[in-house]
């Protein structure tokens, strides 16, 4: 059986080839992102292994199915980029990695908080240029501050546990309260109340029809002036132009993003020699109180190993006729 990994990087090759392969599985690594133009590369591959920014719309799935693909094995927990109705119509099974290392993403969210609060990015650049002054670098103690956790699944609960360790007060918003978050002392509130009471807000919810643009002009108006917003979830959770206005007006005092709604054509590639064509992202990068990382929260040795192992297990289970971690429309 042949499988092709689209959007594969050197670390994908290392993690997949470092895991035991199912008997008879032949892996092919393709750096190109999956799209209508690159889908022919998957011909005669029963398995297409896709990542978060690959195009799995109906036209692409139709081309994959016509070329012999029968399984879409996602190297991610999220599946909002898959046309599940089209997959079902074409007889394509879709499997995912429901959990890998919640610590990886949660710890990256905390790293963004610490870097923004203590202006580490600005301090780093200054000292490299011989500027050892401290003006403009004043932060605040995390102890005693109120942190709002939007989405308290595995990652959100892990993030809440870390922030509780700093001595923070926890608020939470989720349709399904997590006993672990409650045990940490989190109080579940409606989103407007959470936004109004939190000094720091961190997003850890999936992207669905209900959560798209959860943070928008109206909800941003509830923020305390100077609040911090962190998004390591999905880019579509926030209305990015609205963030720019909130930053300009001071309603938003700090912004940390590891995801961006229009990231598919940008992230995971070196574009340092090219002009940035995305005007919204270019504007965001001009703010000194904004840090954008290129969807790297998942990038730890432990998470990569777990993603590879679960993906390979998913392929083996499907091949044996006992599919697991199926995504159904």
């Amino acid at each position: 059986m042949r499988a092709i990994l689209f959007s594969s990087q050197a670390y994908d090759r290392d993690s997949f080839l470092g895991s035991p392969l199912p008997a008879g599985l032949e892996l092919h690594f393709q750096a190109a992102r999956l799209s209508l133009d690159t889908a022919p590369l998957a011909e005669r591959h029963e398995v297409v292994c896709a990542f978060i920014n690959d195009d799995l719309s109906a036209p692409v799935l139709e081309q994959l199915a016509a070329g012999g693909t029968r399984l879409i094995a996602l190297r991610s927990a999220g599946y909002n980029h898959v046309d599940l109705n089209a997959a079902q119509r074409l007889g394509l099974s879709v499997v995912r990695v429901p959990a890998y290392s919640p610590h990886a993403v949660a710890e990256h969210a905390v790293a963004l908080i610490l870097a923004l609060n203590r202006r580490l990015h600005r301090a780093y650049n200054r000292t490299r240029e011989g500027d050892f002054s401290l003006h403009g670098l004043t932060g605040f103690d995390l102890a005693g501050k109120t942190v709002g956790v939007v989405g308290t699944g595995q990652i959100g609960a892990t993030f809440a546990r870390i922030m509780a360790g700093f001595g923070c007060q926890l608020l939470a918003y989720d349709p399904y309260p997590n006993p672990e978050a409650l045990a940490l002392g989190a109080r579940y509130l409606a989103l407007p109340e959470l936004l109004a009471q939190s000094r720091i807000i961190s997003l850890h919810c999936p992207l669905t029809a209900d959560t798209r643009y959860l943070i928008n002009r109206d909800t941003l108006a509830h923020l305390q002036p100077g609040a911090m917003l962190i998004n390591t979830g999905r880019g579509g959770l926030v209305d990015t132009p609205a963030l720019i206005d909130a930053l300009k007006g001071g309603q938003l005092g700090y912004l940390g993003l590891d995801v961006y709604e229009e990231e598919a054509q940008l992230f995971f590639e070196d574009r340092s020699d090219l002009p940035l064509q995305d005007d919204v992202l270019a504007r965001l990068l001009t703010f000194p109180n904004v840090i954008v990382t290129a969807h790297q929260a998942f990038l730890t040795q432990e998470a990569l190993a777990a993603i590879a192992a679960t993906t390979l297990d998913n392929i083996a289970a499907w091949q044996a006729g006992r599919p697991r971690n199926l995504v159904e429309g």
Side-chain angles (χ1 to χ4, degrees):
M1 185 171 63
R2 288 153 55 91
I4 182 170
L5 283 76
F6 282 94
S7 299
S8 63
Q9 304 287 337
Y11 49 76
D12 292 307
R13 181 183 293 272
D14 292 343
S15 59
F16 272 81
L17 295 182
S19 300
L21 297 183
L25 181 63
E26 183 180 324
L27 290 181
H28 298 268
F29 297 90
Q30 176 54 247
R33 190 172 70 92
L34 176 59
S35 66
L36 201 56
D37 292 333
T38 60
L41 296 171
E43 190 170 349
R44 297 190 302 279
H45 288 80
E46 293 176 84
V47 181
V48 164
C49 188
F51 200 42
I52 46 179
N53 290 328
D54 287 317
D55 182 355
L56 291 161
S57 60
V60 174
L61 292 176
E62 288 167 1
Q63 190 159 352
L64 293 177
T69 296
R70 294 293 174 262
L71 175 67
I72 305 296
L74 301 175
R75 306 196 304 277
S76 62
Y79 51 88
N80 55 283
H81 55 313
V82 186
D83 188 327
L84 295 177
N85 291 330
Q88 186 174 26
R89 171 172 55 83
L90 295 164
L92 292 169
S93 297
V94 181
V95 294
R96 68 184 182 116
V97 180
Y100 35 97
S101 170
H103 304 284
V105 180
E107 290 171 8
H108 191 77
V110 176
L112 289 172
I113 290 170
L114 293 170
L116 284 164
N117 176 29
R118 304 308 297 266
R119 274 77 166 181
L120 297 184
H121 54 304
R122 300 186 68 187
Y124 171 80
N125 288 329
R126 279 190 194 179
T127 55
R128 288 178 65 86
E129 295 175 359
D131 181 354
F132 300 99
S133 64
L134 300 180
H135 63 275
L137 301 182
T138 305
F140 57 85
D141 289 354
L142 289 179
K145 299 302 184 293
T146 300
V147 176
V149 187
V150 180
T152 53
Q154 289 192 56
I155 295 172
T158 300
F159 170 80
R161 187 165 61 251
I162 297 171
M163 298 313 294
F166 278 102
C168 296
Q169 305 299 311
L170 299 175
L171 302 179
Y173 170 75
D174 196 303
Y176 308 99
N178 187 334
E180 184 179 350
L182 290 169
L184 292 168
R187 291 189 295 120
Y188 280 82
L189 300 176
L191 184 62
E193 295 176 67
L194 178 146
L195 296 177
Q197 296 182 36
S198 299
R199 181 73 177 268
I200 300 168
I201 300 101
S202 192
L203 307 181
H204 299 284
C205 48
L207 180 61
T208 66
D210 292 331
T211 62
R212 183 173 292 277
Y213 299 147
L214 191 70
I215 303 300
N216 54 54
R217 294 183 193 280
D218 292 336
T219 53
L220 285 167
H222 293 284
L223 292 180
Q224 300 177 15
M228 181 186 296
L229 177 66
I230 305 294
N231 186 12
T232 54
R234 290 290 182 269
L237 296 174
V238 301
D239 177 359
T240 312
L243 295 180
I244 292 174
D245 289 341
L247 286 163
K248 288 166 64 177
Q251 193 74 14
L252 192 56
Y254 312 79
L255 176 64
L257 300 178
D258 186 56
V259 288
Y260 176 59
E261 188 174 16
E262 303 299 328
E263 70 179 56
Q265 303 299 327
L266 294 169
F267 286 9
F268 309 119
E269 301 288 342
D270 181 358
R271 300 181 177 274
S272 57
D273 290 334
L274 301 172
L276 182 56
Q277 300 295 330
D278 189 312
D279 292 342
V280 174
L281 181 58
R283 182 69 180 95
L284 273 179
L285 293 174
T286 66
F287 289 96
N289 52 344
V290 171
I291 295 179
V292 178
T293 54
H295 210 133
Q296 72 178 74
F298 76 98
L299 198 63
T300 67
Q301 296 171 357
E302 293 82 359
L304 289 170
I307 290 169
T310 302
T311 301
L312 292 171
D313 286 346
N314 286 343
I315 294 171
W318 174 82
Q319 187 179 18
R322 298 186 300 273
R324 65 180 64 155
N325 297 321
L326 276 171
V327 180
E328 302 183 74

